[in-house]
mmCIF file of all heavy atoms in Angstrom:
data_model
loop_
_atom_site.group_PDB
_atom_site.id
_atom_site.type_symbol
_atom_site.label_atom_id
_atom_site.label_comp_id
_atom_site.label_asym_id
_atom_site.label_seq_id
_atom_site.Cartn_x
_atom_site.Cartn_y
_atom_site.Cartn_z
ATOM 1 N N ARG Q 93 98.749 139.800 124.382
ATOM 2 C CA ARG Q 93 99.436 141.104 124.450
ATOM 3 C C ARG Q 93 98.411 142.189 124.732
ATOM 4 O O ARG Q 93 97.266 142.140 124.255
ATOM 5 C CB ARG Q 93 100.103 141.347 123.100
ATOM 6 C CG ARG Q 93 100.891 142.622 122.973
ATOM 7 C CD ARG Q 93 102.132 142.623 123.781
ATOM 8 N NE ARG Q 93 103.115 143.579 123.299
ATOM 9 C CZ ARG Q 93 104.148 143.989 124.026
ATOM 10 N NH1 ARG Q 93 104.337 143.527 125.247
ATOM 11 N NH2 ARG Q 93 105.028 144.840 123.533
ATOM 12 N N THR Q 367 110.022 141.622 132.658
ATOM 13 C CA THR Q 367 109.296 140.552 131.981
ATOM 14 C C THR Q 367 109.668 139.241 132.681
ATOM 15 O O THR Q 367 110.536 139.220 133.561
ATOM 16 C CB THR Q 367 109.620 140.530 130.470
ATOM 17 O OG1 THR Q 367 109.329 141.799 129.905
ATOM 18 C CG2 THR Q 367 108.899 139.448 129.692
ATOM 19 N N SER Q 385 104.654 139.816 130.629
ATOM 20 C CA SER Q 385 105.327 141.095 130.925
ATOM 21 C C SER Q 385 104.370 142.176 131.416
ATOM 22 O O SER Q 385 103.180 142.170 131.092
ATOM 23 C CB SER Q 385 105.985 141.600 129.628
ATOM 24 O OG SER Q 385 106.730 142.766 129.857
ATOM 25 N N ASN Q 387 106.262 145.065 131.181
ATOM 26 C CA ASN Q 387 107.319 145.908 130.599
ATOM 27 C C ASN Q 387 108.363 146.273 131.643
ATOM 28 O O ASN Q 387 109.000 145.385 132.183
ATOM 29 C CB ASN Q 387 106.755 147.137 129.876
ATOM 30 C CG ASN Q 387 107.759 147.670 128.842
ATOM 31 O OD1 ASN Q 387 108.624 146.957 128.407
ATOM 32 N ND2 ASN Q 387 107.627 148.945 128.501
ATOM 33 N N GLU Q 406 103.311 149.098 128.770
ATOM 34 C CA GLU Q 406 103.641 148.578 127.441
ATOM 35 C C GLU Q 406 103.400 149.596 126.325
ATOM 36 O O GLU Q 406 103.863 149.383 125.201
ATOM 37 C CB GLU Q 406 102.817 147.309 127.127
ATOM 38 C CG GLU Q 406 102.990 146.169 128.092
ATOM 39 C CD GLU Q 406 104.307 145.395 127.972
ATOM 40 O OE1 GLU Q 406 105.183 145.794 127.180
ATOM 41 O OE2 GLU Q 406 104.443 144.399 128.706
ATOM 42 N N ASP Q 409 106.176 150.392 124.185
ATOM 43 C CA ASP Q 409 106.679 149.497 123.124
ATOM 44 C C ASP Q 409 106.168 149.916 121.740
ATOM 45 O O ASP Q 409 106.594 149.380 120.729
ATOM 46 C CB ASP Q 409 106.304 148.040 123.411
ATOM 47 C CG ASP Q 409 107.301 147.380 124.363
ATOM 48 O OD1 ASP Q 409 108.362 147.981 124.618
ATOM 49 O OD2 ASP Q 409 107.017 146.278 124.847
ATOM 50 N N SER Q 438 106.171 143.504 120.291
ATOM 51 C CA SER Q 438 106.919 142.913 121.407
ATOM 52 C C SER Q 438 108.188 142.230 120.884
ATOM 53 O O SER Q 438 108.305 141.937 119.697
ATOM 54 C CB SER Q 438 106.040 141.892 122.107
ATOM 55 O OG SER Q 438 106.788 141.170 123.056
ATOM 56 N N SER Q 439 109.108 141.986 121.797
ATOM 57 C CA SER Q 439 110.291 141.164 121.470
ATOM 58 C C SER Q 439 110.206 139.807 122.145
ATOM 59 O O SER Q 439 111.176 139.037 122.104
ATOM 60 C CB SER Q 439 111.568 141.870 121.929
ATOM 61 O OG SER Q 439 111.760 143.053 121.222
ATOM 62 N N MET Q 440 109.115 139.515 122.815
ATOM 63 C CA MET Q 440 109.053 138.266 123.584
ATOM 64 C C MET Q 440 109.156 137.057 122.624
ATOM 65 O O MET Q 440 108.538 137.061 121.572
ATOM 66 C CB MET Q 440 107.759 138.225 124.395
ATOM 67 C CG MET Q 440 107.809 139.237 125.548
ATOM 68 S SD MET Q 440 106.432 139.056 126.674
ATOM 69 C CE MET Q 440 105.455 140.481 126.264
HETATM 70 N N1 LIG N 1 107.797 144.734 126.919
HETATM 71 C C1 LIG N 1 108.820 143.938 126.376
HETATM 72 C C2 LIG N 1 108.467 143.320 125.098
HETATM 73 O O1 LIG N 1 107.308 143.078 124.852
HETATM 74 O O2 LIG N 1 109.302 143.109 124.269
#
Side-chain angles (χ1 to χ4, degrees):
R93 181 70 158 163
T367 303
S385 184
N387 203 22
E406 301 285 5
D409 277 349
S438 171
S439 295
M440 290 188 253

